[in-house]
Amino acid sequence: MARRFVAIWFRHLLTDWFTRRKPELKEIPFVIAAPDHGRMIVKAVNPIAYASGIYTGMVVADGRAILPELQVFDEEPGRDHRLLQALAEWCIRFTPIAAIDGADGIILDASGCAHLWSGELAYLKDLLTRLRAFGYHVRIAMADTIGAAWAISRYGSVYPIIEPGKHIEALLPLPPAALRLENNIAERLHKLGLKDIRSFIYMPRKALRRRFGESLLQQLDYALGQQIEPLVPVCPIEPYQERLPCLEPIKTATGIEIALKELLEQLCKRLADENKGLRIAVFKCYRLDGNIQAIQINTAKASRNSNHLYKLFELKTGQIEPNLGIELFVLEAPVVEPLISSQEAMWNISHDKEMQLAELLDRLAVKVGEKAIHRYLPSEHYWPERSYKQALSLEDQPATSWREDLPRPIHLLPQPEQIEVTVAIPDYPPILFKHKDVLHRVAKADGPERIEQEWWIEQGLYRDYYCVEDDNGCRYWLFRAGHYEHAEPKWFLHGYFA
Amino acid sequence: MADVAEIPLFNKAEAKQEIIAKLRQEVYSLQRFKKVNDATTHTIGPFETAFPNQSFPTGAVHEFISYEQEHAAATNGFISGILNYLAGRSGYSIWVGSARVIFPPALKFFGIDPEHIIFLDVSNKNILWAIEEALKCQAVSAVVGILSELSFKESRRLQLAVEQSHVTGFIHRYKPKTENITACVSRFKIRSIHSATLDGLPGVGYPHWQADLVKVRNGKPGSWQLQWNGSGFEECDTRQHIISIPQKLKAG
């Protein structure tokens, strides 16, 4: 079968992507630039800026001189390659073989694919409309060879589809640069007056080799189809998924557990080979009646320890209702993270301990929920309720030290409880106080320690805290909200000292 | 058991004492009370003398009972004081409870880094499961569980868990309906008592507790008046106070 190739040229790949992310940039001329030898060089131009005469490789200052309202964004290294990779993977819906071509193109091997779209025209049209719908400015061409398709997509001006066998004719009027030549060769050809391919294509090969080197001949051969050009297709990452079909429907808990163990072993083996660990795993059971039973676990740290993961699942396997029986088990890991090999960690006991602790927390989280687990770090606030904050992970370390210089109770009530007090003189600690109908006589007291509300967070009265000890030897943390100026202030019990 | 025949038999009374001491050691070791090397451990407090081998048993479950909010705070303070000795610098300990009242920054007064504590706020239904699960994990230095009821069977399960993992467990029973028998090694009751300050100056002093060791396996129950002096337990002694209280730390 004749081979057919499609070349896609993204004329403004990076800027189009930027515009997709920020639609408001559609009407604004902007460029993406990166520093080079102490100057900012334009790396990508959007169509509006391009129309005003700004091109890739220009110094940003020159661009600004042409177009004062030009916006400049920093280049993110490697972004174009990642984008092309994703686009090439997306293109796999059009052909099984898609490859990245240079910094701004994709090559598809469309041999035997177009008839599914009932014709090459419909095939290209579909591809083009879909890519344009994403917002990419693309040019597409289809020809018998990669080289020809590339040349037509960049330099062709007549028709994007080159009939089988007609690619040589289509190439003839194009400039030499269409052959993907190095800059100096194209320039030399130009200087010699060889302004299109027609003018040198029939020259003796020996002469061409002597004057322009082997690469011109090779590119020519690629374009004409006399040599087959290698293509490196992208291979999308296989999803982390393991399947186990059953001959007989499984109904028993033991059966489910065996299936789960089997799948976990397989998945963990693959993860170990790729130095990865999973954060989320979903175990799906496809029932005979079409229902899907699924249980999910999350781990605090990436893990590929099948025993540990099995224990986590074990807490949930009771939720699976096999009903008539399960015919297919699927284990998926939608979220995986890199996990360094535990080779050197085997000697490191503290790492091992941390892993054990993380595994314990995973087990607890599965049963009691992640919200029930707390770890606290100091927070720089005087207001007691805000003096600590929740740590996000086990690795979080305090950024500041805990304060020790002020007395703080070991028990703090979640809500201060109002008390009735008798005070001898304003600003003195109470003589007695009544909490929940129990009268306490104050024997000793310390204070006050005034803590102001942080007005930028919350408005409210300040608190004057007193540490008091009653006649039974019990110690309390009381406070008065506000002062005596206008009305009788309220008193509260806020905590118990040890 | 010890092969009694190996022990040389003397008629002297001293030798008898020696034999008894030796046999007692054997019994302790069978009951998993570890003989700790005196050089490496520091004494936790005066109440240590009540325990076998004169050392506070680790890798065991201790029970604390309190009935009032005030005394519950005192008990948690006392447990924090012991944790300070067990946890070491980097070990994590776990506090399990249904309604948490502990104020993390205050733990610093008992020498514990609050970031090394993991709090679990779980429902009453799951609390024992969580404690047992935590006690089984060797990476944890201690587990504190705050709950009210603990049956003998449940305490036996916890004891079996720690025998495997050598984690120390503290069960703080707040307002239990009955003081039933449990498999715990000891039972403490801690109450707050009047603090004393330097020279009778006004103000609140260091935390003072009446610590009653009601039950202890293979030991002598006792009761002490203790204070936390900011770095360790010491027996209340008014004379000593007068010298040692710095004004900085008033209460924990």
Side-chain angles (χ1 to χ4, degrees):
Chain A
M1 189 206 286
R3 302 195 68 180
R4 300 289 280 166
F5 292 93
V6 175
I8 310 171
W9 179 30
F10 293 87
R11 301 179 61 190
H12 304 285
L13 177 69
L14 280 174
T15 49
D16 285 345
W17 176 76
F18 238 76
T19 317
R20 271 190 83 186
R21 294 280 303 275
K22 295 177 186 159
E24 67 272 17
L25 288 172
K26 210 168 180 179
E27 307 297 327
I28 300 168
F30 72 94
V31 296
I32 292 169
D36 184 15
H37 292 91
R39 300 173 306 173
M40 289 299 278
I41 299 287
V42 173
K43 293 287 176 190
V45 196
N46 82 336
I48 301 172
Y50 187 72
S52 321
I54 295 162
Y55 53 88
T56 309
M58 202 180 207
V59 180
V60 169
D62 293 350
R64 281 232 173 89
I66 297 171
L67 207 63
E69 68 267 33
L70 184 72
Q71 295 222 21
V72 180
F73 297 97
D74 285 341
E75 190 199 22
E76 195 185 326
R79 162 67 63 194
D80 48 352
H81 190 265
R82 282 206 296 280
L83 263 175
L84 283 177
Q85 175 84 24
L87 281 165
E89 280 176 22
W90 177 85
C91 283
I92 284 175
R93 69 196 60 205
F94 288 96
T95 164
I97 299 166
I100 296 173
D101 168 42
D104 56 359
I106 288 174
I107 303 283
L108 309 181
D109 183 351
S111 317
C113 293
H115 76 274
L116 298 171
W117 276 260
S118 59
E120 293 183 338
L121 187 64
Y123 180 80
L124 280 199
K125 226 177 200 171
D126 189 25
L127 181 59
L128 197 64
T129 39
R130 279 176 186 241
L131 283 171
R132 288 213 171 127
F134 287 142
Y136 288 107
H137 293 79
V138 289
R139 281 180 58 117
I140 294 182
M142 192 180 218
D144 278 0
T145 63
I146 298 173
W150 193 94
I152 303 296
S153 72
R154 266 67 168 186
Y155 294 92
S157 51
V158 189
Y159 193 62
I161 300 175
I162 307 303
E163 298 280 305
K166 299 274 173 70
H167 59 280
I168 303 178
E169 283 157 51
L171 281 172
L172 291 178
L174 300 182
L179 290 175
R180 292 176 287 175
L181 301 177
E182 288 158 31
N183 271 342
N184 57 346
I185 298 178
E187 257 169 43
R188 216 180 309 156
L189 283 164
H190 205 77
K191 258 184 208 164
L192 293 169
L194 304 169
K195 293 197 170 140
D196 47 22
I197 296 174
R198 181 187 290 126
S199 52
F200 62 86
I201 190 168
Y202 297 116
M203 282 185 186
R205 285 175 74 88
K206 247 164 101 181
L208 286 176
R209 182 182 291 121
R210 198 172 62 236
R211 285 172 180 272
F212 304 104
E214 185 64 45
S215 68
L216 171 67
L217 288 178
Q218 192 180 26
Q219 292 299 351
L220 207 54
D221 285 348
Y222 281 158
L224 301 180
Q226 281 155 4
Q227 237 187 79
I228 291 179
E229 187 174 344
L231 204 60
V232 187
V234 291
C235 38
I237 298 166
E238 236 180 286
Y240 289 87
Q241 190 191 51
E242 296 291 340
R243 298 160 68 89
L244 186 70
C246 310
L247 280 177
E248 294 279 324
I250 301 289
K251 284 184 228 170
T252 58
T254 339
I256 294 172
E257 278 163 17
I258 292 170
L260 179 58
K261 262 184 199 161
E262 184 79 16
L263 288 173
L264 275 172
E265 286 288 327
Q266 288 171 17
L267 189 66
C268 289
K269 192 164 171 290
R270 180 174 165 203
L271 288 170
D273 288 344
E274 295 177 21
N275 272 344
K276 292 216 161 71
L278 62 82
R279 289 293 307 274
I280 295 177
V282 185
F283 181 54
K284 285 183 185 162
C285 305
Y286 290 76
R287 251 170 31 186
L288 272 185
D289 56 359
N291 179 301
I292 302 170
Q293 298 273 318
I295 49 175
Q296 180 182 333
I297 54 151
N298 301 18
T299 60
K301 267 186 165 184
S303 167
R304 53 165 178 261
N305 179 347
S306 64
N307 279 333
H308 168 59
L309 295 171
Y310 176 71
K311 267 186 200 157
L312 294 185
F313 269 123
E314 204 179 17
L315 298 166
K316 283 194 171 176
T317 45
Q319 295 170 12
I320 296 172
E321 293 172 19
N323 206 350
L324 287 170
I326 296 158
E327 53 180 354
L328 172 67
F329 295 97
V330 175
L331 182 68
E332 283 172 4
V335 181
V336 293
E337 279 179 4
L339 177 67
I340 47 136
S341 154
S342 53
Q343 192 81 51
E344 64 274 14
M346 265 172 70
W347 312 106
N348 189 341
I349 290 163
S350 79
H351 174 90
D352 188 41
K353 273 200 164 177
E354 223 158 81
M355 204 63 218
Q356 277 185 27
L357 195 66
E359 289 181 358
L360 169 70
L361 294 182
D362 284 345
R363 280 201 296 283
L364 293 167
V366 168
K367 181 118 174 183
V368 302
E370 222 160 293
K371 282 186 186 145
I373 302 173
H374 305 281
R375 190 176 153 249
Y376 296 104
L377 298 178
S379 182
E380 286 192 314
H381 294 281
Y382 282 102
W383 202 252
E385 286 93 333
R386 296 193 203 107
S387 61
Y388 59 94
K389 62 180 181 205
Q390 176 100 30
L392 296 175
S393 72
L394 213 53
E395 284 94 39
D396 258 10
Q397 290 306 319
T400 52
S401 57
W402 296 89
R403 288 197 70 140
E404 290 180 75
D405 50 344
L406 297 163
R408 288 288 176 267
I410 187 137
H411 281 194
L412 192 78
L413 297 172
Q415 279 292 324
E417 287 169 13
Q418 202 177 341
I419 49 173
E420 291 167 42
V421 297
T422 309
V423 184
I425 319 169
D427 288 338
Y428 258 55
I431 304 169
L432 33 95
F433 69 93
K434 202 172 179 184
H435 174 237
K436 287 186 176 163
D437 291 330
V438 182
L439 194 67
H440 301 271
R441 273 168 214 288
V442 174
K444 292 168 186 168
D446 265 335
E449 177 196 342
R450 177 163 297 181
I451 302 180
E452 290 271 6
Q453 266 286 9
E454 289 151 306
W455 54 262
W456 57 96
I457 298 173
E458 200 184 332
Q459 295 287 334
L461 297 167
Y462 62 75
R463 294 169 174 180
D464 275 345
Y465 276 100
Y466 295 90
C467 314
V468 301
E469 187 177 292
D470 73 356
D471 52 359
N472 293 323
C474 302
R475 288 168 280 277
Y476 305 87
W477 209 32
L478 313 179
F479 72 83
R480 192 190 64 231
H483 38 68
Y484 281 93
E485 260 172 34
H486 304 298
E488 197 72 353
K490 284 178 177 164
W491 283 79
F492 295 90
L493 171 69
H494 202 184
Y496 298 93
F497 286 100
Chain B
M1 267 319 270
D3 193 351
V4 182
E6 276 178 20
I7 302 164
L9 288 168
F10 297 108
N11 287 329
K12 287 176 190 168
E14 292 157 30
K16 215 177 218 170
Q17 285 297 320
E18 218 167 80
I19 292 164
I20 287 169
K22 214 163 191 178
L23 282 171
R24 188 166 283 150
Q25 274 306 326
E26 297 268 357
V27 172
Y28 287 164
S29 70
L30 281 172
Q31 287 178 331
R32 292 169 202 275
F33 287 105
K34 275 182 290 175
K35 168 93 182 153
V36 265
N37 204 343
D38 289 350
T40 55
T41 53
H42 28 233
T43 48
I44 297 180
F47 53 87
E48 256 193 324
T49 51
F51 290 99
N53 288 337
Q54 267 79 48
S55 73
F56 187 79
T58 55
V61 181
H62 301 270
E63 187 187 7
F64 294 79
I65 291 181
S66 70
Y67 291 94
E68 308 280 335
Q69 283 253 33
E70 294 86 340
H71 302 317
T75 310
N76 282 335
F78 188 82
I79 294 173
S80 310
I82 300 176
L83 270 189
N84 173 29
Y85 287 98
L86 299 180
R89 217 59 207 137
S90 60
Y92 278 91
S93 33
I94 296 187
W95 288 67
V96 190
S98 53
R100 190 170 45 82
V101 283
I102 301 284
F103 185 47
L107 293 171
K108 195 74 193 170
F109 293 98
F110 295 96
I112 302 173
D113 289 329
E115 72 266 16
H116 284 147
I117 308 274
I118 294 164
F119 293 100
L120 294 177
D121 304 338
V122 296
S123 63
N124 274 325
K125 197 178 72 182
N126 285 332
I127 207 162
L128 274 162
W129 177 85
I131 295 173
E132 190 188 342
E133 222 26 54
L135 282 173
K136 278 180 188 164
C137 178
Q138 293 180 6
V140 173
S141 56
V143 179
V144 184
I146 303 172
L147 70 167
S148 60
E149 300 306 326
L150 182 76
S151 68
F152 180 77
K153 216 189 261 171
E154 287 158 353
S155 68
R156 186 85 198 107
R157 265 189 86 95
L158 301 185
Q159 184 65 33
L160 287 173
V162 297
E163 276 174 18
Q164 288 293 318
S165 63
H166 301 291
V167 176
T168 313
F170 299 90
I171 301 295
H172 177 184
R173 297 175 66 188
Y174 177 56
K175 288 190 182 166
K177 283 195 192 108
T178 52
E179 291 184 16
N180 54 310
I181 298 168
T182 60
C184 301
V185 170
S186 67
R187 174 178 285 170
F188 277 99
K189 284 184 183 174
I190 313 291
R191 287 186 300 116
S192 292
I193 52 168
H194 278 290
S195 61
T197 49
L198 177 72
D199 246 345
L201 281 173
V204 183
Y206 285 135
H208 275 59
W209 302 304
Q210 171 74 40
D212 295 329
L213 183 55
V214 190
K215 278 183 184 169
V216 52
R217 205 193 297 160
N218 291 333
K220 282 188 225 108
S223 96
W224 300 265
Q225 293 204 339
L226 299 170
Q227 69 159 346
W228 180 261
N229 67 3
S231 59
F233 292 104
E234 57 186 31
E235 203 139 8
C236 289
D237 177 26
T238 31
R239 254 187 342 163
Q240 211 185 341
H241 272 167
I242 294 164
I243 312 156
S244 72
I245 289 191
Q247 273 298 291
K248 194 185 100 184
L249 229 160
K250 286 157 191 150

